[in-house]
Amino acid sequence: MRLNRGSSQVAGGQSHGVLNKMLLGLIVLGCATAFTCPLAWAEQSAGPQVASVAELLAQPQPAPDHRFSYGPDPLQFTELRLPEGDGPFPVVVLVHGGCWLAQYDVGHLAAMADALTESGLATWALEFRRVGNEGGGWPGTFQDVSAGTDSLAEAAQHHPLDLNRVVIAGHSAGGHLALWLAARQRLPQDSVLYTPSPLPIKGVVALAPAADLELTYRNQTCGGVSQQLMGGTPEEVPEHYLHGSAAALLPLGLPQVIVNGEHDLGWLEVSRAYREKALALGEDVPIIVPPDVGHFELVMPASSAFPSVLQAIEDLLQ
């Protein structure tokens, strides 16, 4: 594990800010397909007076306190932010969204990570290979978030982190990965995604999650990118969906809370379907619905929805 203190550079030498300016240009110009353009995610902001992806990407992106590598690929790294004081601090593992696409990186969660740290929580933000990156998709994306999460144990040997109080929070596609990280304890040992001793966690706060990959494929949520993530359709690669979708691995056996914006109707449909599946298996998954917001406000600290997100995280850490 390598460490660089105070770095604000992403893999390949581009800063988060430079990359996001490029993305904003693509949004303005328009693109032909969801794979080559971030419009698949940008369209999720549709609704009355809700935040856009451009507003999300325009937020300040403060640098982390430390950066760690958990693998040889430049995209296999994590960002650690620590509150003031001696600790040990509870930890929020953050998994970013962006339809699992290479176009969106961990930088757009920097403002959220900083706000959580200001509230007294250490944050461990994951970067990982995605659809469009070499090695991304099935199974690399899953293996990356798994390894990145578990590498927190090594960081705790050098920093005041309380491994007895760890919560995972993820947004959108990252909400799917956050729920899956909690579910991976249920994977069979012959699965390519199996981890023998996953990091223990107290629960998951899933923000507008793509919780059911088969449903997101059927609904073409995120422009149908779930098919690219999984390497095929549910009919073509059923085992991938059985092992990679949180809904297929229910019940998780851990506390879960979903937060969905009132005007984020497509994602709210997915969340409610996931909750119904969980309830049928004896597991209650409450859904918090902040009013008058859409998809992106959930990870924007200045929004009216963010206090609900923070409260949900703090409640699970109690």
Side-chain angles (χ1 to χ4, degrees):
M1 181 179 286
R2 300 189 302 274
L3 178 153
N4 294 306
R5 182 172 181 83
S7 171
S8 61
Q9 299 296 308
V10 298
Q14 288 182 305
S15 69
H16 294 319
V18 170
L19 181 57
N20 285 331
K21 287 179 181 177
M22 294 168 60
L23 290 174
L24 290 175
L26 286 172
I27 292 169
V28 172
L29 292 172
C31 302
T33 69
F35 182 76
T36 59
C37 178
L39 286 176
W41 202 37
E43 289 167 356
Q44 305 303 323
S45 67
Q49 296 183 337
V50 299
S52 67
V53 69
E55 292 172 291
L56 173 71
L57 297 179
Q59 293 184 108
Q61 297 190 8
D65 296 320
H66 306 276
R67 178 171 289 182
F68 296 89
S69 294
Y70 61 84
D73 192 279
L75 290 171
Q76 294 172 322
F77 68 86
T78 61
E79 295 183 344
L80 174 64
R81 290 172 173 84
L82 293 167
E84 294 184 3
D86 297 328
F89 304 108
V91 185
V92 183
V93 176
L94 290 175
V95 193
H96 72 81
C99 290
W100 307 280
L101 288 168
Q103 288 92 333
Y104 292 98
D105 67 15
V106 70
H108 73 261
L109 282 194
M112 178 182 183
D114 205 53
L116 293 175
T117 303
E118 289 291 327
S119 299
L121 308 173
T123 57
W124 186 251
L126 304 179
E127 189 56 285
F128 46 93
R129 294 171 295 173
R130 306 173 296 285
V131 174
N133 299 131
E134 185 177 354
W138 181 274
T141 294
F142 296 85
Q143 293 170 333
D144 279 6
V145 296
S146 186
T149 298
D150 292 341
S151 69
L152 179 64
E154 185 176 345
Q157 298 176 20
H158 308 285
H159 299 281
L161 305 174
D162 186 351
L163 294 185
N164 293 315
R165 291 189 294 164
V166 178
V167 163
I168 300 178
H171 175 240
S172 193
H176 148 247
L177 292 170
L179 289 167
W180 177 82
L181 283 165
R184 61 188 170 134
Q185 60 183 322
R186 293 178 48 79
L187 289 169
Q189 292 188 17
D190 61 352
S191 172
V192 68
L193 304 182
Y194 175 75
T195 301
S197 300
L199 183 81
I201 62 170
K202 291 183 70 68
V204 180
V205 177
L207 310 174
D212 187 328
L213 291 186
E214 184 169 349
L215 180 58
T216 59
Y217 165 71
R218 304 293 179 204
N219 292 352
Q220 289 296 286
T221 309
C222 255
V225 178
S226 55
Q227 179 179 348
Q228 298 174 51
L229 171 76
M230 302 304 282
T233 69
E235 290 74 26
E236 293 168 340
V237 287
E239 186 174 278
H240 292 190
Y241 286 80
L242 287 174
H243 293 179
S245 177
L249 292 167
L250 285 166
L252 271 57
L254 288 168
Q256 307 155 62
V257 178
I258 292 175
V259 186
N260 245 107
E262 178 187 18
H263 298 307
D264 195 15
L265 299 181
W267 293 93
L268 189 54
E269 176 188 350
V270 175
S271 294
R272 287 172 172 161
Y274 178 82
R275 183 174 190 270
E276 289 177 5
K277 287 188 176 183
L279 284 172
L281 294 168
E283 194 164 66
D284 189 11
V285 182
I287 301 178
I288 300 168
V289 184
D292 302 321
V293 298
H295 192 66
F296 300 113
E297 288 92 339
L298 305 180
V299 292
M300 298 174 69
S303 78
S304 62
F306 195 74
S308 297
V309 174
L310 177 59
Q311 188 63 58
I313 291 172
E314 291 178 336
D315 286 347
L316 284 186
L317 285 168
Q318 297 303 316

